[in-house]
Every structure is written in structure tokens, then in C-alpha cells.
Amino acid sequence: MTDTVRRNLLRLDQRTVRRARALAERAAAPVIELARTHTTTSVERAVLRLAGLTGADAEGIPWVNRLVDAVAADVGLGHGVALPVWHELRRGGHTDLAALAQKAAAGGVAFAVPEGRERQSAVTASRRAVARGIATIDRNRKTRDRLLRKLGDPPKPWIYLIVATGDIHEDIPQAQAAAREGADVIAVIRSTGQSLLDYVPEGATREGFAGTYATQENFRLMRAALDDVSAELGRYVRLTNYASGLCMPEIATLAGLERLDMMLNDCMYGIIFRDINPRRTFIDQRFSRQIHARAGIVINTGEDNYLTTADAVDAAHTVVVSQLLNERFGLEAGLQDWQLGLGHAFEINPALPEQFRLELAHAQLVRELFPNAPLKYMPPTKHMTGNVFFGYLLDAFFNLAGVMTDQSILLVGMMTEGIVTPFLSDRDLALENVRYVRDACAGLAEDFRPAPDGFVATRARQVLAESVELLERIADDGLFTAIADGTFGVTRRPADGGRGADGVVAHADDYLNPATELLEATA
Amino acid sequence: MTMNLVRAYGDTTGDGMVQLSFTLPVPAGPRAEAAAALFAAKMGLDPAMVVHAKAVGPDFTFFVVYGRSGVIVDLDEVEVHEREFPLLTAKEINLEVRSMLGRRLVVVGATVGTDAHTVGLDAILNVKGFAGEKGLEYYRELRVVNLGAQVDPAHLVERAVAEQADALLVSQVVTQRDAHLHHVRLVAEELAAGWPATTPRPLVVVGGPRFEPRMAAELGVDRIFAKGTTPREVASYLVHALAQRRVAA
Ligand code: B12
């Protein structure tokens, strides 16, 4: 069925589509070059996590932070942490990374950058250590594949549902209940403010604000709980979390180590919606995507969010432009089309005449531009009000648009969106809404044939044309300039502004990152 | 004055009909439905009709209830938070500021704490405005410093001191676990600690969709604006409140 739907119903000019991709590639190139030649504190901490360093000190600051800070203080991060750390491990006779981190945190170690033969042995030892983490990621990927074969992979659209109590032990029964009611993907949304923490908290947590902290232990607990319910239901239930903010590379790494299945991972979300430094974000997203690529994780991008701060009609093309950039950055980092869950949303003001036709145009355009991507379609949020009854209706129209245009992942809209995080019953009603539309309209995409010069096709072609125009400007002026000018989400973010800029370091000539080496060698 | 006594209206005056939905942590079945009926009866619905019951997983049941409420409300008893100031035009506001201060009125705005929502704050501050009204930046006699979101309360106060602010505008959207109340109290505390004793304290104006305007005093702020606020209301309030202060001083 999908083949017919994804065929060129909108009569998009394929030359224009190719030109859009070429422009995105040109716009992304200097940013990729920046990411290839710089590292960040979080990338270096991710290397240590892959090598097995876990745990935190009495203040709750992880040992990976302590160790990276100690190395940075002595020799800077331009060489990467691997060289000084594995050199010191051997030279100082420390039992393991944890022992070294503790001693370094207490100020008892003077790091040095090894050269010659000493360098060679640090390189070898660090590679061996990091390879063990990557082997765990590989094993998890195999386990997922095996479970998908054994239990079965649900048909698309996958029904994606958020839990967000703040308490992992409340989230677990809610997630299991949601899976039993039909959710295919469970997302544990993170606590307000986690993006700005420059470390990943440790352990099982019960005290988040409007979300639950992303920690390795929370990941493990939730994946295990979903494995149980998957076995019970005979259907593999996927788990999602969020790799964004100052610890994007580390959270991506933990996701790989704990067999998460999808991750929010956007090249610009942190910049625009959390005021994270643009350079930091672009460097971090590349590494995190290399990990996701290896882990077989499907990423979800965040273009839907632009439409909460910008107008969904005027800014429709900014979504497409950002998708093309996310695609380019993703492919360069080693992700494949099936892993690119590009985001978009049903956010046009319902008071606008022909709102639904406009939504269909946008959704079908994205479907045709990215025929092999597991598109993630987001429900209305901005125009959801206290009128839960109207909200329920609007969500049904969203579900309908999703089914008609063959979207791959449907985030379940909640009628309480404009009020609070949903009640148990709100979630159940929302799932009933999706199930009804999905079943009642199964295969409707087959019958959806927008007239070649009708409203929908014309509007789609217009958005594509505007996208190409904007991409031309970005390719000429640079992506950083475009972001500083407020192109995305009408939010201005200068390249030097935002949080975490001080964690960006240019590679020295002898920079070593055993993780990137291993990931790129097999990509 | 029977005119002022009202009951809920279903389809006939005085029928008292209401509709209600809720969940009980009881497995679906006759016992759950009876429990729901009792629950509704205890809320004062008589008769209470449990018109829909659905299992939500093995341990919960969701209900929709229609019923008659005996509650009568005397409209004379109702307390409304009436706007305590006149709504002025942009021109009037500019004039007032000029004659009152002889300089521009300085407004420093931010969403504080971990909250990253800016749309509400921007609706009040940015030229673009809200609901067809221009934002405070549009007013010639107002100088607006918009610090954006995720601003540390101490930093907000620091900037306010540096800018010699007449008013702090604080937005809070996330309310889970009373995060909004917590953050606003922090601003009040920081201001008490960080504002120089020699200059009059700026007005503290708080806004967000889930605030209760009557809580201002309890939170230690001057005014709270809730959902649907327009920029002109805020500007009108500012000149009103500053004028009152002058009278008091
Ligand atoms: C847009 C949006 C976002 C965008 C914000 C983009 C941005 N730059 O602002 C993004 C996608 C980033 C986002 C993220 C999150 N969001 Co949000 N978001 C919304 C959404 C859809 C719309 C809010 C909005 O823009 N309203 C429009 C403006 C104009 O209205 P307003 O804010 O009420 O402002 C008016 C008045 O309140 C008042 N006002 C507001 N501020 C001020 C200040 C002053 C001084 C004055 C005088 C007046 C005033 O005047 C304004 C004009 O009338 C709402 C859902 C909804 N439909 O309301 C959820 C919502 C607010 N978000 C919510 C949540 C939980 C989050 C997250 C925490 C989720 C998570 N765990 O990651 C994150 C936040 C992370 C963080 N650190 O804060 C919840 C809050 C629940 C609660 N009550 O606690 C909501 C209600 C959704 C839900 N039901 O779960 N969100």
C-alpha cells in the first residue's frame, strides 16, 4: 500500500527536490567540518562511559565529570581524554577507571599527554576499553532484532505515547498500562531543566518536574518493564527518551547501552528551545548520532516545535528546510533512512478556513519528500485550550490526517494538552480515539488522491518552492547566521551565545577519540 | 431576589443537570459502577446516572456521570477579581509615563527557573503582541529588556538593578509540583536580598496560564495576570500602580 501512497501524488518537480537536497548538503558542510574538528566535555565523558566508567561521588556528580574536569585542568581537552587517561592508568598503576577518577577528583593525579611508544600503548588500551562498550551496544541491537522477530513488529503507524509522572516507579505501571491499551512506543519525557544539567544524574529517580530524569538506571528499569509487557502482549514495545541538552552524547550512549529503541535527537532543538550554544549542539549531535546509528536506534527530530513559536502556515517551509538539514546531518553521521524519524506537526490554527486541507498538504509533502523515513507526526498542542471536547475532536482530525497521508509514528494527542499533563483516563480516551480512526480508516491512504492542480497539491508545491528559496539563503550566508537571525522558531540564537560554549574545544593535532574511530571505521 | 439564584442548566431552567467524568482505582464491574454512583451521590448528585463505565487496565475504571445537582448559587455572593485599574490607550499610557517619570519606564522581563516557555512572555513584551494588541516594546515610553527563558532569579534581580528597573515581569508556565509558585517566591526573596535599600523596589508582576490572581500577596508580588492577558492590560496596570505608589509616598 505504502508504495502507491508515496508515489508522486503531488507532482513534485524532482529536479527541485534534488536541488533542495544539494543545497542542504552545502549548508551543512561547514557545520560538519566544525563537528569533525572539535570535541566537547560531553563527547569526552561519553567516551569514558563507553569504557565502563559509572557512578557518582557523594555530591551526585558522576565520576565521568570528575575525571574529564581533572584532565581538562591539567592538559586541556584538545588531545581528548583517552590519551591522558589511559596513559595515567598504566603509569600510575590504578586498578581501574573508577579508582583513577576518585584519585583525580581528590587532586592526587597529574595528567600528561603521552608521546611515541607511550602514546601507542595508550591508544591501544583505550581502544580496547571503548570497544567493550561498543560491543554491548552491538549485543543490544542483536537482542532487539531477535525480539522483533520473535514477538513481532507492530504495523505502522506506530502509536507513540508519553509518560511523565516524574517518578520512574509510577511511570512503569503507566507505561505498561499504555502498552496494553495499544501503545507501540513509550516515551519517557524528561524532567523540566534536565537539558541544562551538565551531567547525567545517577540511579532510579522519583522527583522530576513534569517529566522523569533520564538516567542509566531509569532506562534499564523501564526497558525491563517493557520487555515483560512485550512478552505478555506478543508485540515488541519500543522505548524512547530524549538525547538533547548539554549531555546529548552521553544520553545517546546510555540509550545504546540500555537498548532504548528510539531517541529524540535534533540538530537544532537544544539551540532554539533550551538556549544551548549552537556550536556545542552541532558537535554533540554528530557524536550522538554516530552512536544511534551503531545502536540501530531510530531518531526523532523536533521540527514540530518550531510551529509552537512560529505560525504553522507562514513557517511551514522552515520545517521542511530543517528536515532536510536533519537528514543530511543524520546520513553523514551514519544513520540510514529507516532511522530518520523526521518530525512535523498538525499545528495550524483550527479557526483558519481550510485548515485541514492545509494540514494534509504539509503532511503529504513531507511523506513524499522522505518516502523511506519513519516520519513522526505530532498532534496539535498550541491551539489546544481548556475546551477538552473540542480538543478531542481536533485530535481525531489529526489522527485522520496521519492515516490519510501514511505517517509512520503518530504521537497520541491529549485533550488535556492545554491544561496539565494527562490523567490516566485522558490517555485511555486518546488511545481509543487513535484506534477508532486507525481501524475505521485503515487503507484510506490508498484512496487519497489529491487533484493534481487542486488546493492540496498546489499548496505543497508552494511550500517546497519556499523551502528551496530559504535553503539558497542559508547555503550562501551560513547556517549559524540563519540561526542567529531567528529563521527557526522565530528565536534568535547567536553562534557565541547560549549555555555550554565553554565546553567546546578544538582538536589538537594528536587528538584521539577511540569511540569515533571505531564508529567511523565500520560506518 | 430570586433572579440572582441559579442552578446548573441542562435543558430546562432549574433542572440542575451536570455532567462529570472521573476514574476510580477499582477493577471494572458491578462493584465499580456502584462505587461510582455512590461517589457521585456523595458529591451531591441526585439522581446520579452512571452512563458510561470503561476499564482502564486491570485496576481502574473510567466513568461518565450525568446527574442533578441541588446546588444553588447566589450571584450576589460571587467574588470576582475585578480589574482595579482603568484600561488606557497606548497614547494615554505614554503620556502618563512621561508626565509621571519624566523618563522612560524600564521593564525587565524573564521566564525564570527551569521553565523554557517564552511564548506568553513574548506575547506581552514583543512588538508583535497578542490578540491584535501590540506588545510593550511598541510603547515609546517603555524600555523593555527581555531576558528570555530559563533565567536564574538571582540573575534577573542583578539585571534589574543594573537597568534600574521600574517593574519586573516574570512568566511561569510549568506548574507541576507547584514549580511556578516556588520560582516566584525565589524572585521575591532575591529581590528582598539584592535590591539596594536606597531606591524604591520595582513592581513585581507575574503571569502565566495557571495562576490564581488572588495569590499575589501570599507570593510576595504586586500583581498576577492569568491566561488571556493582553499587553495593554499590563501597561495600564503599570502606570496605575506606579501612580498609586507616588500618591502613597
Ligand atoms: C509551546 C509549548 C512548548 C514549547 C515552548 C516554546 C517556547 N519557546 O515557548 C516547547 C516545545 C519548547 C515546550 C516544552 C515543554 N513543555 Co510545553 N507547552 C507549550 C504549549 C503547547 C503552548 C504554550 C503557549 O505557548 N501558549 C501560548 C501563550 C500565549 O499563552 P500563555 O503562556 O498562557 O501566556 C499568556 C498568559 O498566561 C499570560 N502570561 C504568560 N506569561 C506572562 C508573563 C507576564 C509578566 C504577564 C503579565 C502575563 C503572562 O499572557 C499570555 C498572553 O495572554 C502548552 C500547551 C498549551 N496548549 O497551552 C505546553 C505546556 C505549557 N508545556 C508543558 C510541559 C510540561 C512542557 C515540558 C516541561 C515538557 C517536558 N517535560 O519536556 C517542556 C518544557 C521544558 C522546560 N524547560 O520548560 C505543559 C505544562 C504542564 C503544567 N501545567 O505544568 C503544557 C501545559 C502541556 C501539557 N499539557 O503537558 N512547550
Side-chain angles (χ1 to χ4, degrees), chain B residues 13 37 66 88 97 106 109 136 151 154 178 181-182 184 188 194 202 237 244:
Chain B
T13 302
Y66 275 64
L88 307 178
V97 172
V106 180
L136 301 191
V151 176
D178 286 341
L181 306 181
H182 173 67
V184 168
Y237 166 77
Q244 285 225 315

Side-chain angles (χ1 to χ4, degrees), chain B residues 7-17:
Chain B
R7 285 170 178 273
Y9 186 102
D11 69 349
T12 318
T13 302
D15 65 11
M17 291 303 287

Side-chain angles (χ1 to χ4, degrees), chain A residues 189-193 209-211 269 273-274 305 308-309 381-385 416-422, chain B residues 114-121 123-124 130 150 169-176 205-210 225-230 234:
Chain A
I189 201 166
R190 294 184 310 171
S191 171
T192 317
F209 288 99
Y269 179 86
F273 296 102
R274 294 294 184 283
N305 296 291
T308 64
T309 48
T381 63
K382 181 176 165 177
H383 297 286
M384 295 295 276
T385 65
T416 49
E417 172 61 34
I419 312 170
V420 283
T421 46
Chain B
T114 48
D115 196 330
H117 293 87
T118 56
V119 180
L121 181 72
I124 303 298
F130 183 70
Q150 302 176 340
L169 264 57
V170 178
S171 180
Q172 284 293 278
V173 174
V174 176
T175 61
Q176 226 196 21
V205 179
V206 173
R210 301 265 97 73
F225 287 91
K227 72 174 191 312
T229 305
T230 69
V234 179

Side-chain angles (χ1 to χ4, degrees), chain A residues 137-155:
Chain A
I137 290 177
D138 291 344
R139 254 195 327 278
N140 284 336
R141 181 173 180 161
K142 285 209 184 79
T143 304
R144 181 193 305 115
D145 289 344
R146 185 169 48 75
L147 288 171
L148 279 169
R149 273 195 310 274
K150 186 173 136 204
L151 297 172
D153 198 4

